[in-house]
Amino acid sequence: MRHIQRRIALLALPALVGSILVATGPAGADPTGPSATTSRSQPGDRESVRLVQIRLTGADMLDKVAAAGFDLEHGLRRVPTGIEGEAVVTAEQVTELTAMGVEVLADDAGFAWSDQADGGIGVGAAGARAVQPSNHQATVRIARADWFTTKGQGFLYVEARTTEGQQADPIVGMQLENDSGKGTPFGFARTMSRFVDSGQYMFHRNLFKLDTRPTRIQVTSSTGGVATGVVSNWLENAPPPLTANPSYKSDFVDGYKHPQQLYSRAKEIARQYPDIAEIVYLPNQTNGYQRKAQAQVGGTGQAAVVVTSAAWGHEGGNDITVEFADRPDANLPLAVEVTGKAVRVLLATDAAGAPASTATEVADALRTRSAGLIDRAHPYRTNEGTGIVAPTAGPVALTDFLDQKRVGAPEGEVPRGPATIPVLRIGKHRDGKKPGVLIQAQDHAREWVPATTSLESAERLVHNYRSDRETKKIVENTDIFFILSNNPDGANYSFYNFASQRKNMTNHCPDASADPAQRNSWGVDLNRNYRVGSGHDGYAGGSTNCVSGTYQGPEELSEPESKNIIWLVEKYSNIKFMMSVHSNGGQLFWQPGAYIADGRITTPRPPLGDEAFYWQSAARILSQVKAHRETVVTPENVGGSSDVLYSSAGNVREELYYTYGIYAFGWEVGGSVYNPGTGDWQGGSFQPEWTGNPELVSGHAETMEYANGIMEMFRVAADWGRDKKDPTSRLIPGDGKYRGPVDVRFETSEPATIYYTTDGSRPTLESPRYAATEFREPGQVFHVTETTTFRWFSVDSAGNIEKNYDPTKKDKRNNYRTATITIAKK
């Protein structure tokens, strides 16, 4: 039996714990300009919002702020004092954030790693250090120590953990030292930063500059624990990228592309290269780049009325006018006249002949007596509508606000109506027998670089297939699916109306959030709309507030865009790899991606073998990114997304991994680039200048370097599909007699999951799995105190089983691995 089906079950996800905060606070400025005219002037969009640097105390506050409707950027990062990032806000919302306890930072006030040794923290009155204990007794463990260089500067990144890290009174500190090369003493003492998330201790870590590569480090806790470790290379000495071949063709994308351009080029590629490319159309159409026409009459007080057309704006809603008319006679009832698309509300009068209709009464009349022209009419937001409505100066025109293009937007009208998303499929053998790779870009509308990065990757495949040997191997050994924009409606809105649009354009909001000033906050976060680790099940990071940037939708898989992904992976079951491409945080991550905040209960962590395969693949992918202009995605930004970032309930990666067994990566392209001129890391943006500084922030440079990474992911998949070699493993130390208790661990020749027993039974797929000591750490250590026989086998990421063992049935050969640790009796 060469392969087994790789199955990963998501069992017993914890039930809902607590409730998610729902807020009805404002998420946009009120409409500006007079409402009692037929003018279609659009309230300020781009001018009314700005980016501010913020610091939150932790994931709980992050959820609270997102649930209240604030738009938080992806450039969030975990810092010792909580989470820092950027928010897209109005001036009014800055005040609201401050009232919620959010710290608004000056531009240069964010957390930065110290470049100077600070003398350490001291470890006792006499400065004595404890002797390194046996592994099973260690109170300090080093998870990783990585050296990398970028732009001529060296860096050391260290993660370490103390078993006493949760202790808060007094807080246990950690001191880091390193040597200056083989045989040199430890020195350069500095205090490591302690990271806590949702009240749970994570680890201590540090990133700092060094001019000389160390070989070893030493970490000491303030309570005396000590550990030493060897420094490894991170992204050093990478093989040359495909672009190193002088005849290799690249640099095809000349600027940002809106969805129509992306889809048009995808179809043209399929037409030009029919032997290796085709279009697959996704079955569920999107809501479309369309809105109902609206008007808000009477300001924002108790007399304000919000009116929404029944028809889409472009299908007649924009032709509707509403007028509130005064009448001179006394004691007249409320009435409505409809002439064509003109709706005239004849306001009731009192005994003195003055207007007497309330906002609630006018809204009810518009809904019920407008001859079907008005779909929704209601008081403004949470108002009770008790105010007396004033007559308007004339007809007020309804508008969908889609008839004016944002300054700087590309030329051309956007097609209205539902959109059908094409998938560009590239591969010589598209029969389901080759491993499939799904590249999904632009779930979030404002993220323009992921789309160009994906298109550049597709162009490289078809243009180099006949001339480049490595590209030919990719095309002939993989089956690649490109969704160049998974959110065309939102992306068009970002290009043409509101650059910071994140979600799709489907409006699920109730009346309290349905006025036109909220229109830039409507929509569903498509990457919170899936079924695994969902906010609907109590996981953090998805909001129930329809104007939140992370609104999860009214139910799981409510959106056609997310339903399409499920359809695709179920129809094409050969899809074994997936990359959801985002921007602009500069991270590469996988599972777990979500947790329940109370207790920080994550979705199940991948087996150690899968975790190792993710790390191995990440190193290959990121090495090729670095090869373009030495951009380094640092180890602190790689791993389980809930560990390196925050909880993102209902994300697509966990759906595909846990439900379908797909190796699913999330990629935040862009992010920080080291600037040797200033000695700092410079951040990026969602829409950096295309031809900006090619060594720092540039849409073109990011497109090219991250396309290198996607090409390497294809090679990872191709290698995976050709892998027929069994893994090997061993127990260290192995068979033998020992005078006393001994610590043992497993080691594998490649990323592989080990199933083992110690009770004399034969190992099966139901046996215990060899696990990590703790997340982001190596495999556990067994402290053996009495004679024990280990029986085990290993399975690699491609499903190859060590020694061709079949764990599903009994076999006389019993060709699993075995080792007996004999402890001599005293």
Side-chain angles (χ1 to χ4, degrees):
M1 179 179 176
R2 295 296 305 174
H3 293 265
I4 60 171
Q5 178 67 33
R6 182 172 166 271
R7 295 173 295 178
I8 302 171
L10 183 61
L11 301 175
L13 280 179
L16 176 67
V17 177
S19 61
I20 298 177
L21 174 68
V22 180
T24 56
D30 290 341
T32 58
S35 60
T37 71
T38 57
S39 169
R40 295 182 185 273
S41 62
Q42 183 172 335
D45 287 334
R46 188 177 181 122
E47 295 76 21
S48 65
V49 298
R50 62 190 177 98
L51 290 178
V52 296
Q53 303 292 321
I54 59 172
R55 179 182 296 141
L56 307 106
T57 54
D60 290 346
M61 181 178 283
L62 174 64
D63 281 349
K64 180 179 178 181
V65 172
F70 290 95
D71 187 1
L72 303 182
E73 294 274 357
H74 265 185
L76 298 174
R77 60 174 182 151
R78 192 183 303 282
V79 300
T81 53
I83 296 173
E84 289 183 356
E86 295 175 330
V88 182
V89 290
T90 65
E92 179 184 3
Q93 288 175 315
V94 171
T95 302
E96 295 172 17
L97 282 173
T98 303
M100 295 175 70
V102 176
E103 184 179 359
V104 178
L105 306 173
D107 290 342
D108 58 353
F111 171 76
W113 298 108
S114 172
D115 290 331
Q116 303 297 322
D118 56 18
I121 55 176
V123 290
R129 291 177 179 156
V131 176
Q132 173 75 2
S134 300
N135 287 337
H136 72 283
Q137 296 175 326
T139 60
V140 174
R141 299 187 305 271
I142 296 172
R144 61 185 310 115
D146 292 300
W147 167 262
F148 64 87
T149 59
T150 177
K151 309 293 179 65
Q153 178 62 57
F155 288 87
L156 176 65
Y157 175 73
V158 177
E159 282 179 16
R161 186 176 278 111
T162 169
T163 56
E164 300 168 316
Q166 192 66 26
Q167 179 178 320
D169 189 18
I171 292 174
V172 175
M174 302 267 271
Q175 178 179 279
L176 169 67
E177 297 175 276
N178 60 270
D179 65 16
S180 299
K182 189 174 182 179
T184 60
F186 291 120
F188 313 100
R190 66 190 57 231
T191 300
M192 298 185 71
S193 296
R194 177 176 179 263
F195 284 77
V196 175
D197 183 38
S198 286
Q200 300 298 308
Y201 169 69
M202 301 281 286
F203 37 62
H204 284 72
R205 66 180 182 180
N206 247 54
L207 173 71
F208 59 96
K209 298 177 186 176
L210 286 177
D211 293 328
T212 302
R213 186 195 187 284
T215 59
R216 294 178 64 80
I217 63 165
Q218 181 169 266
V219 177
T220 307
S221 77
S222 57
T223 57
V226 62
T228 59
V230 176
V231 176
S232 301
N233 284 329
W234 175 248
L235 311 185
E236 295 293 290
N237 305 316
L242 299 178
T243 52
N245 179 351
S247 63
Y248 188 84
K249 304 178 186 68
S250 63
D251 204 355
F252 296 98
V253 182
D254 59 2
Y256 292 123
K257 307 295 180 185
H258 56 65
Q260 293 72 246
Q261 294 170 315
L262 294 168
Y263 295 166
S264 176
R265 181 55 190 152
K267 294 171 187 177
E268 182 64 13
I269 287 173
R271 188 193 66 79
Q272 289 179 300
Y273 304 92
D275 58 327
I276 60 170
E278 64 179 305
I279 294 294
V280 174
Y281 289 98
L282 296 177
N284 300 290
Q285 287 191 312
T286 69
N287 173 80
Y289 177 76
Q290 56 188 6
R291 287 262 170 90
K292 300 295 182 71
Q294 291 188 301
Q296 184 173 317
V297 186
T300 62
Q302 289 292 341
V305 179
V306 178
V307 185
T308 304
S309 66
W312 297 108
H314 66 285
E315 293 179 343
N318 289 336
D319 300 324
I320 297 172
T321 61
V322 172
E323 180 181 3
F324 298 166
D326 190 11
R327 293 184 285 175
D329 297 328
N331 297 317
L332 294 177
L334 179 66
V336 177
E337 294 178 348
V338 178
T339 305
K341 295 292 181 70
V343 180
R344 194 164 182 257
V345 179
L346 306 177
L347 299 174
T349 59
D350 60 16
S357 298
T358 67
T360 296
E361 291 168 341
V362 169
D364 289 343
L366 284 168
R367 285 197 307 274
T368 59
R369 292 187 257 174
S370 63
L373 293 177
I374 303 303
D375 179 47
R376 298 171 73 172
H378 51 85
Y380 176 76
R381 299 199 182 174
T382 58
N383 289 352
E384 295 179 358
T386 55
I388 301 301
V389 172
T392 59
V396 176
L398 274 63
T399 175
D400 61 9
F401 296 101
L402 299 179
D403 55 352
Q404 291 183 351
K405 292 190 284 291
R406 179 174 60 81
V407 175
E411 294 297 325
E413 290 298 321
V414 182
R416 301 294 201 267
T420 298
I421 299 176
V423 181
L424 175 60
R425 187 182 187 186
I426 297 177
K428 181 63 177 176
H429 308 289
R430 303 184 302 280
D431 55 6
K433 296 180 180 179
K434 299 296 182 180
V437 185
L438 171 58
I439 303 297
Q440 176 212 53
Q442 209 169 43
D443 247 3
H444 294 149
R446 61 194 176 200
E447 298 167 8
W448 294 358
V449 175
T452 55
T453 298
S454 301
L455 178 60
E456 172 70 18
S457 303
E459 297 279 13
R460 291 184 185 184
L461 288 173
V462 296
H463 283 92
N464 291 290
Y465 170 61
R466 289 178 174 81
S467 58
D468 180 72
R469 182 174 63 179
E470 288 300 311
T471 304
K472 187 177 184 69
K473 288 180 182 178
I474 291 172
V475 174
E476 295 191 344
N477 289 284
T478 58
D479 188 3
I480 300 168
F481 300 80
F482 287 97
I483 301 178
L484 298 176
S485 176
N486 195 46
N487 184 4
D489 305 339
N492 277 317
Y493 198 71
S494 175
F495 269 95
Y496 288 92
N497 301 96
F498 180 61
S500 294
Q501 176 74 9
R502 170 182 167 93
K503 302 179 287 182
N504 69 6
M505 287 183 65
T506 305
N507 180 11
H508 293 290
C509 283
D511 291 349
S513 301
D515 55 90
Q518 299 276 41
R519 69 189 182 281
N520 292 336
S521 299
W522 293 333
V524 174
D525 184 343
L526 300 177
N527 203 33
R528 300 295 186 275
N529 193 230
Y530 292 87
R531 299 169 294 187
V532 174
S534 166
H536 296 280
D537 295 326
Y539 284 80
S543 175
T544 59
N545 183 1
C546 69
V547 294
S548 166
T550 56
Y551 176 53
Q552 61 199 8
E555 60 187 20
E556 296 165 350
L557 296 183
S558 62
E559 303 310 292
E561 298 91 340
S562 53
K563 290 176 182 175
N564 279 334
I565 300 300
I566 301 305
W567 177 87
L568 190 68
V569 299
E570 289 185 347
K571 181 175 178 63
Y572 300 99
S573 57
N574 63 315
I575 294 177
K576 301 299 181 186
F577 292 84
M578 184 265 192
M579 179 79 81
S580 181
V581 190
H582 292 262
S583 68
N584 63 323
Q587 293 100 10
L588 182 59
F589 43 72
W590 46 86
Q591 304 75 42
Y595 56 74
I596 293 174
D598 187 2
R600 202 176 185 279
I601 304 169
T602 70
T603 49
R605 293 188 178 275
L608 185 59
D610 280 2
E611 181 84 4
F613 180 71
Y614 272 125
W615 276 104
Q616 181 188 76
S617 301
R620 289 181 58 174
I621 292 167
L622 297 176
S623 291
Q624 298 309 306
V625 173
K626 182 183 179 184
H628 180 73
R629 56 170 186 159
E630 290 197 80
T631 295
V632 172
V633 176
T634 61
E636 67 181 295
N637 288 316
V638 180
S641 64
S642 65
D643 300 334
V644 303
L645 276 177
Y646 45 80
S647 179
S648 53
N651 66 77
V652 66
R653 304 179 308 277
E654 297 203 285
E655 177 78 50
L656 299 195
Y657 178 76
Y658 293 117
T659 307
Y660 300 99
I662 295 170
Y663 284 111
F665 293 82
W667 205 357
E668 291 270 353
V669 306
S672 297
V673 179
Y674 181 69
N675 183 345
T678 63
D680 297 322
W681 294 81
Q682 180 172 333
S685 67
F686 292 122
Q687 299 142 19
E689 289 186 28
W690 182 256
T691 55
N693 187 332
E695 292 302 314
L696 295 174
V697 179
S698 159
H700 174 261
E702 289 180 8
T703 294
M704 295 304 118
E705 66 190 351
Y706 285 100
N708 280 4
I710 289 179
M711 297 300 293
E712 187 62 24
M713 183 176 180
F714 298 152
R715 291 208 280 188
V716 168
D719 291 345
W720 181 90
R722 293 192 300 265
D723 182 9
K724 300 297 186 289
K725 184 178 179 181
D726 294 347
T728 60
S729 60
R730 58 177 180 155
L731 192 69
I732 300 174
D735 270 314
K737 293 183 179 181
Y738 301 88
R739 294 182 177 179
V742 62
D743 291 340
V744 301
R745 59 184 174 84
F746 286 111
E747 184 179 89
T748 58
S749 60
E750 60 176 298
T753 297
I754 290 177
Y755 297 84
Y756 71 93
T757 65
T758 57
D759 61 2
S761 62
R762 64 188 299 273
T764 70
L765 293 172
E766 305 303 319
S767 300
R769 283 192 307 228
Y770 184 53
T773 303
E774 182 57 272
F775 67 93
R776 297 176 68 84
E777 289 192 30
Q780 66 196 100
V781 173
F782 302 98
H783 185 59
V784 181
T785 59
E786 59 185 27
T787 298
T788 303
T789 297
F790 288 82
R791 292 177 171 84
W792 77 92
F793 65 94
S794 61
V795 186
D796 68 15
S797 61
N800 299 305
I801 302 181
E802 187 171 8
K803 298 180 68 175
N804 204 25
Y805 173 59
D806 187 348
T808 65
K809 59 185 179 182
K810 291 190 176 180
D811 169 323
K812 290 183 179 180
R813 294 179 300 168
N814 282 336
N815 56 333
Y816 46 75
R817 299 296 309 276
T818 182
T820 298
I821 306 296
T822 302
I823 305 299
K825 294 182 179 179
K826 294 183 180 179

